[in-house]
Amino acid sequence: QVTLKESGPVLVKPTETLTLTCTVSGFSLSNVRMGVSWIRQPPGKALEWLGNIYSNDGESYSSSMKSRLSISKDTSKSQVVLTMTDMDPVDTATYYCAQIDRWFGDFDSWGQGTLVTVSS
Amino acid sequence: EIVLTQSPGTLSLSPGERATLSCRASQSVTSGYLTWYQQKPGQAPRLLIYGVSTRATGIPDRFSGSGSGTDFTLTITRLEPEDFAVYYCQQYVRSPTFGQGTRLEIK
């Protein structure tokens, strides 16, 4: 059974850097077919893809967010880390990590999400 | 970036009725990677349909997907009370994008 769980701060101040960790189980981060993505959802709004990481061909990022994002992984710990710089109140959202299947381009399994509020 | 436009924004129906949700892409989804998700309040999205028309594991056969190119449809026959939720389509050609969602509410 695949599970993903996000962890990190619930509150960050404007201009600070957000670091979130996704801990996965039920699959390996060295799996060449499956990757991990970060997706966010502002309250009452739609889903927004942020970026992916796969085992063998690195990371890809949303073009609109690329300058602020970094995604890395620690395969031995089964963890994927999202770093987002220069946080703003408009970045207040629930942040999800999800398993992505490169064969079909879909997000198979999702974490429960973590609400991050940006406020001074 | 491919923009997905879902319609209607809100669909009001009764249990037992048929729901038809539309997803239109700004460019052809040439990869065939068109996916549908269901999201209930306070929950993460759940995968329903991938590859345009393949139901995910455990998804009842009252859910079906169809379409090609730029026009895609999610159909739910015989609505059950647990089907009332928000539905999102998503594509992956060069980078993933989501539609803005259709809210399916009880009439």
Side-chain angles (χ1 to χ4, degrees):
Chain A
Q1 180 190 1
V2 172
T3 63
L4 304 96
K5 186 171 184 179
E6 307 87 352
S7 59
V10 296
L11 180 66
V12 297
K13 291 181 169 54
T15 75
E16 287 187 339
T17 294
L18 171 69
T19 300
L20 294 175
T21 299
C22 176
T23 303
V24 310
S25 63
F27 74 104
S28 171
L29 295 178
S30 60
N31 185 312
V32 296
R33 173 178 171 179
M34 301 300 191
V36 173
S37 300
W38 287 95
I39 296 155
R40 70 178 180 179
Q41 185 173 38
K45 295 189 176 181
L47 300 160
E48 178 186 17
W49 172 76
L50 298 176
N52 294 337
I53 190 165
Y54 289 102
S55 66
N56 60 344
D57 54 359
E59 311 86 56
S60 58
Y61 301 104
S62 161
S63 56
S64 63
M65 302 289 296
K66 187 172 185 176
S67 63
R68 300 174 53 205
L69 293 178
S70 175
I71 298 176
S72 62
K73 65 183 175 74
D74 185 330
T75 302
S76 66
K77 294 182 178 179
S78 295
Q79 291 182 332
V80 174
V81 176
L82 171 75
T83 302
M84 183 181 298
T85 61
D86 194 23
M87 293 293 284
D88 184 271
V90 300
D91 296 314
T92 293
T94 296
Y95 286 75
Y96 296 100
C97 59
Q99 181 191 52
I100 182 168
D101 183 342
R102 68 162 75 223
W103 285 10
F104 298 103
D106 65 280
F107 303 105
D108 285 0
S109 300
W110 296 64
Q112 63 191 21
T114 185
L115 175 62
V116 177
T117 301
V118 184
S119 174
S120 54
Chain B
E1 175 179 289
I2 295 179
V3 175
L4 298 178
T5 302
Q6 293 186 241
S7 60
T10 302
L11 185 57
S12 299
L13 293 170
S14 300
E17 291 192 298
R18 178 188 186 98
T20 302
L21 287 67
S22 173
C23 176
R24 178 161 289 177
S26 60
Q27 305 168 41
S28 180
V29 181
T30 52
S31 62
Y33 293 169
L34 194 288
T35 305
W36 291 92
Y37 303 88
Q38 177 193 69
Q39 187 177 34
K40 296 181 178 179
Q43 297 183 16
R46 177 174 73 140
L47 175 65
L48 292 178
I49 303 281
Y50 63 94
V52 179
S53 60
T54 302
R55 278 188 300 276
T57 303
I59 302 302
D61 61 6
R62 65 179 181 273
F63 290 89
S64 64
S66 63
S68 64
T70 60
D71 290 301
F72 300 90
T73 300
L74 175 69
T75 302
I76 313 170
T77 58
R78 303 180 310 276
L79 283 165
E80 298 286 344
E82 62 267 27
D83 298 337
F84 292 90
V86 179
Y87 291 84
Y88 292 96
C89 59
Q90 172 250 319
Q91 65 78 32
Y92 198 163
V93 175
R94 281 172 291 281
S95 64
T97 56
F98 292 89
Q100 83 279 18
T102 289
R103 180 178 304 279
L104 178 57
E105 64 177 27
I106 298 177
K107 187 173 183 179

